């Protein structure tokens, strides 16, 4: 029952807050002392209970007439910060469990497979629990246009059944409790089952730098900027598709009762094809996998809006989109450790910046989510979208076609052009791997000679 304008403000402020907290958390993690649990895992352990509490409070409706906007703004920002304290070290763990590029790539493939499975599970839990509360659509009179949408919304709120609203609130809180329990379970499994290896990420020389020095070094690394730029546009494309596909299926295609199954088809397709992309990138290289994986969705995205509404075609498009979603999940994260290795070679005396690299990646993931939500909300509102309407104006259907087809296709093409500038190909990866091995051997031999000299003096 919150005004959509205030909801947009909350989301915007939350993303702006992320822009501050993500790199700062990355820096603080990089300066954290090593413990017997490692450097990263303690952040995961201590942030988890507070993140779960703040997540639950986001879905709680306080019994206050004023101040609801501030309530949701505060707890949304707190939750985003605590998620950063989990997600940045969780992502950076890839650099701390092995020195071998192939092992890191394999770990990334496993991680992204389970992340997609988690997305499927979370979607199913939220959808099934909340979906049990029946909220019938509202028949909107034909004479109500865009200019009277606020009047229609006011009438809708006045006639809304109080019992149904209470049931909906309870359903959201139950879903939040279940997902919070899964959050804790996964954090426990991660903390118990994963061990950091300090020597996997650091060379012996380690010169401390300030936050702004480290930030400047990271953001001046050309390969990182080009990877982030390509990642930004392709992620935005798939998030626009994901965020509007349910509305597109419901109103434009007319499959109101099928969209959850269609969404499930997308996510299951993505889960099953991540191992395929892992094999593909080891066989043909990561840049080739990016071009093939991202572009494979384009003909199907065009097909779904050009052809007449057809359930079979929609499922085919869903499966094809899932294949590309798998590539979009896996490949950018698989390429990031290569950028960190490249940075280490260029700055051998400035180590321990892995968390900063990963923190900006996490930020851009959240940023694209916020941008896609803002674009979708403003576009649909401008087109005259009617909340919970049984049907929508033709302008809304046209806008949905743009949001799930034309705009994502354009963003994918732009992202692929930027990936073309990304300098680390398979030949460069091999050279970096050998150079890092030589540096480590030189550093280890120097350390051993120093120990021998010290022993002889003693």
């Amino acid at each position: 029952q919150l005004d959509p304008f205030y909801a947009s403000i909350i989301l915007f402020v939350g993303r702006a807050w992320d822009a501050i907290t993500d790199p700062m958390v990355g820096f603080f993690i990089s300066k954290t002392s090593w413990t017997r649990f490692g450097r990263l895992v303690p952040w995961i352990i201590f942030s988890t209970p507070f993140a779960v509490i703040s997540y639950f409070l986001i879905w709680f409706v306080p019994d206050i007439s004023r101040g609801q906007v501030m309530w949701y703004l505060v707890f949304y920002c707190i939750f985003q910060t605590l998620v950063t304290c989990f997600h940045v070290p969780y992502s950076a763990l890839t650099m701390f469990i092995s020195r071998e590029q192939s092992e890191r790539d394999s770990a990334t493939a496993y991680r992204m497979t389970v992340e997609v499975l988690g997305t499927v599970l979370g979607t199913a839990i939220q959808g099934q629990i909340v979906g049990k509360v029946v909220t019938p659509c509202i028949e909107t009179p034909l004479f109500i246009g865009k200019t009277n949408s606020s009047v229609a919304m006011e009438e809708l709120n006045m006639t809304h059944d109080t019992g149904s609203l209470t049931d909906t609130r309870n359903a959201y809180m139950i879903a939040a409790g279940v997902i919070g329990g899964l959050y804790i379970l996964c954090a426990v499994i991660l903390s118990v089952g994963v061990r950091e290896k300090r020597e996997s990420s650091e060379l012996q020389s380690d010169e401390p730098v300030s936050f702004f020095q480290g930030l400047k070094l990271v953001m001046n690394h050309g390969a990182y900027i080009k990877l982030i730029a390509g990642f930004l546009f392709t992620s935005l494309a798939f998030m626009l598709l994901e965020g509007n596909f349910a509305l597109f299926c419901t109103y434009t295609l007319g499959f109101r009762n099928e969209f959850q199954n269609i969404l499930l088809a997308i996510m299951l397709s993505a889960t099953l094809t991540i191992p395929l992309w892992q094999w593909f990138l080891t066989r043909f290289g990561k840049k080739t996998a990016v071009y093939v994986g991202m572009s494979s969705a384009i003909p199907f995205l065009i097909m779904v809006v050009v052809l007449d509404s057809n359930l079979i075609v929609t499922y085919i498009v869903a499966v094809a989109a899932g294949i590309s979603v798998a590539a979009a999940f896996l490949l950018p994260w698989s390429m990031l450790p290569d950028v960190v290795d490249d940075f280490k070679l260029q700055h051998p005396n400035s180590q321990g910046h892995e968390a900063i690299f990963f923190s900006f990646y996490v930020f851009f993931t959240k940023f694209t989510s916020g941008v896609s939500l803002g674009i979708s909300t403003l576009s649909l509102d401008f087109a005259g979208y009617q909340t919970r309407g049984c049907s929508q104006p033709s302008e809304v259907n046209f806008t949905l076609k743009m949001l799930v087809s034309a705009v994502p296709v354009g963003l994918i093409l732009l992202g692929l052009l930027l990936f073309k500038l990304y300098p680390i190909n398979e030949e460069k990866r091999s050279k970096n791997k050998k150079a890092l091995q030589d540096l480590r051997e030189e550093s280890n031999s120097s350390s051993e000679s120093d120990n021998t000299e010290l022993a002889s003096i003693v």
Side-chain angles (χ1 to χ4, degrees):
Q1 301 294 290
L2 200 64
D3 190 287
F5 172 77
Y6 293 116
S8 300
I9 292 295
I10 291 169
L11 292 169
F12 175 79
V13 173
R15 301 307 174 188
W17 178 249
D18 273 340
I20 300 171
T21 58
D22 284 4
M24 290 189 66
V25 168
F27 175 77
F28 289 136
I29 290 173
S30 69
K31 295 303 176 184
T32 302
S33 301
W34 280 84
T35 67
R36 65 190 184 96
F37 299 106
R39 173 190 284 177
L40 304 177
V41 173
W43 283 79
I44 293 170
I45 294 173
F46 290 114
S47 68
T48 292
F50 300 104
V52 170
I53 292 171
S54 61
Y55 177 74
F56 183 80
L57 292 175
I58 287 175
W59 298 102
F60 177 75
V61 181
D63 189 17
I64 50 178
S65 57
R66 294 184 178 182
Q68 282 193 344
V69 174
M70 188 57 62
W71 171 282
Y72 292 117
L73 177 62
V74 168
F75 285 109
Y76 182 73
C77 289
I78 290 174
F79 175 68
Q80 292 294 340
T81 303
L82 292 166
V83 165
T84 298
C85 293
F86 185 103
H87 200 181
V88 171
Y90 165 70
S91 304
L93 269 173
T94 307
M95 300 298 299
F96 287 77
I97 58 178
S98 177
R99 288 178 176 173
E100 291 297 322
Q101 291 178 352
S102 59
E103 291 182 353
R104 290 174 179 175
D105 290 344
S106 177
T108 301
Y110 277 104
R111 178 168 74 86
M112 299 317 298
T113 301
V114 177
E115 277 200 27
V116 178
L117 277 173
T119 305
V120 173
L121 186 60
T123 303
I125 290 172
Q126 187 90 356
Q128 291 300 316
I129 295 177
V130 177
K132 288 184 181 300
V133 181
V134 179
T135 52
C137 64
I138 305 299
E139 291 289 351
T140 305
L142 295 175
F143 62 82
I144 294 181
K146 289 185 288 185
T147 55
N148 292 329
S149 59
S150 60
V151 177
M153 190 66 201
E154 184 178 351
E155 292 176 358
L156 169 64
N157 289 336
M158 290 173 62
T159 59
H160 191 76
D161 181 66
T162 306
S164 176
L165 184 61
T166 302
D167 292 341
T168 305
R169 289 176 176 176
N170 293 336
Y172 274 113
M173 290 174 61
I174 292 169
V178 175
I179 292 175
L182 284 174
Y183 192 122
I184 293 173
L185 175 64
C186 294
V188 169
I189 293 172
L190 177 65
S191 304
V192 173
V194 178
R195 286 292 173 265
E196 299 173 52
K197 298 178 181 177
R198 184 173 186 175
E199 67 277 4
S200 293
S201 67
E202 293 184 341
L203 302 175
Q204 291 300 317
S205 56
D206 194 355
E207 185 179 296
V209 295
S210 68
F211 171 75
F212 291 105
Q213 287 175 317
L215 193 60
K216 184 178 179 181
L217 283 171
V218 169
M219 297 311 292
N220 283 338
H221 190 59
Y224 184 58
I225 297 301
K226 290 166 185 173
L227 182 61
I228 276 185
F231 173 59
L232 178 66
F233 288 103
T234 53
S235 295
L236 181 56
F238 285 104
M239 286 187 179
L240 277 172
L241 174 63
E242 176 188 341
N244 294 284
F245 202 69
L247 291 176
F248 178 73
C249 290
T250 301
Y251 294 113
T252 305
L253 299 182
F255 302 137
R256 176 179 295 274
N257 298 323
E258 291 287 337
F259 80 85
Q260 286 197 9
N261 295 329
I262 294 169
L263 180 61
L264 191 62
I266 293 174
M267 302 313 295
L268 287 177
S269 172
T271 305
L272 295 174
T273 51
I274 283 181
L276 171 65
W277 287 117
Q278 175 64 18
W279 169 84
F280 191 95
L281 68 85
T282 56
R283 179 70 177 82
F284 300 102
K286 295 182 181 180
K287 288 191 71 171
T288 304
V290 167
Y291 298 140
V292 175
M294 302 296 184
S295 62
S296 62
I298 292 176
F300 295 97
L301 293 179
I302 296 173
M303 183 192 304
V304 77
V305 297
V306 171
L307 298 179
D308 293 333
S309 177
N310 186 297
L311 187 59
I312 296 175
V313 171
T314 304
Y315 272 106
I316 292 172
V317 171
V319 172
I323 295 172
S324 292
V325 166
F329 263 91
L330 172 65
L331 292 169
W333 287 105
S334 180
M335 297 162 83
L336 182 56
D338 302 332
V339 172
V340 178
D341 286 343
D342 189 65
F343 177 85
K344 288 179 180 180
L345 287 174
Q346 295 187 25
H347 306 277
N349 294 321
S350 183
Q351 303 299 321
H353 301 305
E354 293 89 354
I356 298 179
F357 278 99
F358 280 86
S359 66
F360 271 99
Y361 237 45
V362 171
F363 163 68
F364 278 109
T365 303
K366 296 178 183 177
F367 177 75
T368 51
S369 173
V371 169
S372 68
L373 188 61
I375 292 173
S376 303
T377 303
L378 291 175
S379 300
L380 291 171
D381 184 61
F382 181 75
Y385 176 77
Q386 301 292 333
T387 303
R388 285 181 54 208
C390 293
S391 61
Q392 298 293 340
S394 59
E395 292 88 350
V396 171
N397 291 327
F398 176 77
T399 302
L400 286 171
K401 287 182 178 181
M402 293 295 102
L403 291 174
V404 302
S405 180
V407 177
V409 167
L411 290 169
I412 289 171
L413 292 174
L414 180 57
L416 291 178
L417 285 175
L418 292 170
F419 273 122
K420 187 75 175 175
L421 303 174
Y422 177 68
I424 303 177
N425 52 24
E426 292 308 299
E427 182 182 356
K428 178 76 169 175
R429 284 184 68 208
S430 300
K431 289 181 178 178
N432 285 352
K433 179 181 178 180
K434 187 177 185 307
L436 276 174
Q437 288 174 342
D438 293 342
L439 266 179
R440 291 190 180 104
E441 289 172 3
E442 180 183 341
S443 179
N444 291 335
S445 62
S446 174
S447 177
E448 289 173 4
S449 64
D450 290 342
N451 292 336
T452 304
E453 183 180 347
L454 179 61
S456 63
I457 293 172
V458 172

Short mmCIF file of all heavy atoms in Angstrom, two decimals, residues 27 49 126 163 233 280 292 328 330 407 435:
data_model
loop_
_atom_site.label_atom_id
_atom_site.label_comp_id
_atom_site.label_asym_id
_atom_site.label_seq_id
_atom_site.Cartn_x
_atom_site.Cartn_y
_atom_site.Cartn_z
N PHE A 27 37.40 -2.81 0.59
CA PHE A 27 38.67 -2.32 1.14
C PHE A 27 38.88 -2.85 2.56
O PHE A 27 39.97 -3.31 2.91
CB PHE A 27 38.68 -0.79 1.14
CG PHE A 27 39.88 -0.19 1.81
CD1 PHE A 27 41.11 -0.17 1.16
CD2 PHE A 27 39.80 0.34 3.09
CE1 PHE A 27 42.23 0.38 1.77
CE2 PHE A 27 40.91 0.89 3.71
CZ PHE A 27 42.13 0.91 3.05
N PRO A 49 23.40 -13.42 10.61
CA PRO A 49 22.20 -13.27 11.44
C PRO A 49 21.56 -11.90 11.32
O PRO A 49 20.32 -11.77 11.29
CB PRO A 49 22.71 -13.53 12.87
CG PRO A 49 24.19 -13.36 12.80
CD PRO A 49 24.58 -13.75 11.42
N GLN A 126 8.86 -18.24 -2.83
CA GLN A 126 8.10 -16.98 -2.78
C GLN A 126 6.81 -17.09 -3.60
O GLN A 126 5.74 -16.67 -3.16
CB GLN A 126 8.97 -15.84 -3.33
CG GLN A 126 8.38 -14.46 -3.18
CD GLN A 126 8.76 -13.80 -1.88
OE1 GLN A 126 9.42 -14.40 -1.04
NE2 GLN A 126 8.33 -12.56 -1.70
N GLY A 163 -9.37 -8.47 4.61
CA GLY A 163 -8.92 -9.82 4.96
C GLY A 163 -7.90 -10.35 3.99
O GLY A 163 -6.90 -10.96 4.38
N PHE A 233 26.27 -3.93 -19.52
CA PHE A 233 25.20 -3.86 -20.52
C PHE A 233 24.54 -5.22 -20.75
O PHE A 233 23.32 -5.29 -20.92
CB PHE A 233 25.75 -3.29 -21.83
CG PHE A 233 26.04 -1.82 -21.76
CD1 PHE A 233 27.34 -1.36 -21.63
CD2 PHE A 233 25.01 -0.90 -21.79
CE1 PHE A 233 27.61 0.00 -21.56
CE2 PHE A 233 25.27 0.47 -21.72
CZ PHE A 233 26.57 0.92 -21.60
N PHE A 280 32.54 -25.58 -22.80
CA PHE A 280 32.75 -24.77 -24.01
C PHE A 280 33.90 -23.79 -23.81
O PHE A 280 34.74 -23.63 -24.71
CB PHE A 280 31.45 -24.03 -24.35
CG PHE A 280 31.47 -23.38 -25.71
CD1 PHE A 280 30.95 -24.02 -26.81
CD2 PHE A 280 32.01 -22.10 -25.88
CE1 PHE A 280 30.95 -23.42 -28.06
CE2 PHE A 280 32.03 -21.50 -27.13
CZ PHE A 280 31.50 -22.16 -28.22
N VAL A 292 29.24 -16.38 -28.37
CA VAL A 292 28.24 -17.40 -28.73
C VAL A 292 27.09 -17.41 -27.72
O VAL A 292 25.91 -17.43 -28.10
CB VAL A 292 28.90 -18.79 -28.80
CG1 VAL A 292 27.85 -19.87 -29.05
CG2 VAL A 292 29.95 -18.83 -29.91
N ALA A 328 25.38 -15.70 -19.21
CA ALA A 328 25.47 -14.40 -18.57
C ALA A 328 25.82 -14.53 -17.09
O ALA A 328 26.50 -13.66 -16.52
CB ALA A 328 24.15 -13.65 -18.74
N LEU A 330 27.61 -17.17 -15.74
CA LEU A 330 28.91 -17.83 -15.54
C LEU A 330 30.09 -17.03 -16.06
O LEU A 330 31.08 -16.82 -15.35
CB LEU A 330 28.88 -19.21 -16.21
CG LEU A 330 30.23 -19.96 -16.26
CD1 LEU A 330 30.70 -20.32 -14.86
CD2 LEU A 330 30.10 -21.21 -17.13
N VAL A 407 14.95 -3.67 -26.60
CA VAL A 407 15.96 -3.07 -25.71
C VAL A 407 17.01 -4.10 -25.28
O VAL A 407 18.22 -3.82 -25.37
CB VAL A 407 15.27 -2.42 -24.49
CG1 VAL A 407 16.32 -1.86 -23.53
CG2 VAL A 407 14.33 -1.31 -24.94
N ALA A 435 53.89 -16.51 -16.09
CA ALA A 435 54.60 -15.42 -15.43
C ALA A 435 54.34 -15.40 -13.92
O ALA A 435 55.25 -15.15 -13.12
CB ALA A 435 54.19 -14.08 -16.05
#
